[in-house]
Amino acid sequence: MSLTSDPPIDPPVEPPADPPAAKEAGSGAGPDELTVVPVRHPWRWVAIAATAVLLAQFLNGLITNPGWEWDVFAQFFTAPTILKAVWITLQLTFYGTAIGFALGIVLAFMRLSASGFLRTVAYGYIWAFRSIPLIVQLLFWFNLAYLYKELTFGIPFGPGFFAFETMNLVGAMSAAVLGLALHQAAYAAEIVRGGVLAVGSGQLEAAAALGIPKFRQLRRIVLPQAMRSILPNAANEIISLFKGTSIVSVMAIGELFYQVQVVYGRNGRVVPLLLVATVWYILLTTALSVLQHYVERHYAKGAVR
């Protein structure tokens, strides 16, 4: 007779064994006994095959079509006039980028300033230079002597100390650099401003609480983190500027595209000379992209990817 009020515990009941037929059908099979069937993508293979055929046809035409005139391409690809034009293109890109981003950084911090006047001036500059087409800006600077016969330095709205004529002050190359840089500054300002805004404000508050000076906060805390957001967009702008230097051909500057036009205007070999310019643009753009990759990898240290 039990001395407790708890009901007796029945022994566990063994589940009935599966019949041999069920095992053969796989109803009681374990995970190791299941057959794994991979997902099939028939349309993906159709797309791959169609793309491969189109690519093979393009390459075949590129190699076998006599209209490309590869012998003329090889003759002019490293010609001295073309190499000189490539150097001028690189100079325009370098000066336009350096001056443009230097001014763009100033404009970006003016837009982030607590002063309403500075914010308004910076916004007005960005609005104006993003609204006016680049070719119009270049022609304005090229015709500066028509607008202002001379420039005078002295007291604002007062007497001048010395003056000089603008006829020989701004040449074609100077006008091109000035126009490209001022145009680039408007876009660079927004890129830098976006990168700075991407950094959390709590980090600046913590740095200020630790007594870190403002300039050091900017140099050691804000910019290293902002560069991860700035670099991709900045690299796109530099590459766009590099290709956009062809627009200065309206001022008869001997950059790459203008020089190619001069050559095929003389010999009539339009397609191979355009191919010369295309290949140079591709090579230099690729070099800029490789440089971008390594710079981004440097500033990505410590970030989770």
Side-chain angles (χ1 to χ4, degrees):
M1 181 177 179
S2 175
L3 299 178
T4 63
S5 61
D6 294 334
I9 300 175
D10 295 331
V13 180
E14 293 289 336
D18 293 334
K23 286 187 177 181
E24 292 178 3
S27 61
D32 297 335
E33 299 176 7
L34 295 176
T35 302
V36 179
V37 180
V39 179
R40 293 177 175 85
H41 302 280
W43 291 109
R44 180 187 299 174
W45 290 105
V46 171
I48 291 173
T51 306
V53 170
L54 292 175
L55 184 60
Q57 288 180 325
F58 172 75
L59 293 177
N60 179 67
L62 195 64
I63 295 172
T64 60
N65 190 343
W68 292 106
E69 297 184 87
W70 289 104
D71 54 337
V72 179
F73 168 83
Q75 177 185 354
F76 287 98
F77 184 69
T78 56
T81 54
I82 299 298
L83 294 179
K84 183 179 178 181
V86 170
W87 174 241
I88 293 175
T89 300
L90 290 175
Q91 284 183 301
L92 290 171
T93 304
F94 175 78
Y95 292 128
T97 300
I99 300 173
F101 271 87
L103 180 57
I105 292 172
V106 175
L107 290 170
F109 284 100
M110 286 175 65
R111 286 212 62 188
L112 295 171
S113 171
S115 170
F117 176 76
L118 293 179
R119 289 199 307 269
T120 303
V121 171
Y123 178 79
Y125 178 96
I126 294 169
W127 166 77
F129 279 86
R130 289 197 304 184
S131 301
I132 302 173
L134 177 57
I135 188 171
V136 176
Q137 298 179 37
L138 291 172
L139 293 176
F140 265 121
W141 290 113
F142 189 58
N143 293 282
L144 182 65
Y146 175 80
L147 297 172
Y148 301 97
K149 302 299 182 183
E150 62 178 17
L151 293 179
T152 304
F153 289 88
I155 299 175
F157 308 105
F161 300 138
F162 61 92
F164 52 88
E165 296 183 352
T166 58
M167 179 61 68
N168 298 320
L169 176 64
V170 180
M173 190 69 176
S174 302
V177 170
L178 190 60
L180 292 171
L182 295 178
H183 179 77
Q184 186 72 17
Y187 293 90
E190 292 297 276
I191 292 173
V192 174
R193 186 175 70 93
V196 172
L197 290 176
V199 180
S201 59
Q203 301 194 39
L204 293 178
E205 294 173 0
L210 293 173
I212 300 176
K214 288 282 188 182
F215 181 74
R216 185 175 296 178
Q217 292 178 27
L218 176 66
R219 185 171 57 90
R220 301 301 298 271
I221 298 175
V222 176
L223 287 182
Q225 297 179 76
M227 287 297 288
R228 292 200 292 268
S229 300
I230 292 172
L231 277 173
N233 297 320
N236 287 338
E237 278 301 313
I238 294 172
I239 291 173
S240 297
L241 177 64
F242 168 69
K243 294 182 295 183
T245 54
S246 59
I247 202 171
V248 304
S249 60
V250 298
M251 298 187 298
I253 297 176
E255 49 81 42
L256 180 58
F257 184 68
Y258 177 82
Q259 198 60 47
V260 163
Q261 287 180 305
V262 170
V263 175
Y264 74 60
R266 293 173 179 172
N267 60 17
R269 305 296 187 183
V270 178
V271 173
L273 266 301
L274 288 177
L275 191 60
V276 168
T278 301
V279 173
W280 271 114
Y281 281 125
I282 290 174
L283 290 176
L284 295 175
T285 301
T286 303
L288 290 173
S289 300
V290 172
L291 179 62
Q292 172 194 353
H293 167 72
Y294 284 105
V295 175
E296 284 186 358
R297 192 171 69 174
H298 170 74
Y299 281 100
K301 292 178 181 178
V304 179
R305 291 290 184 269

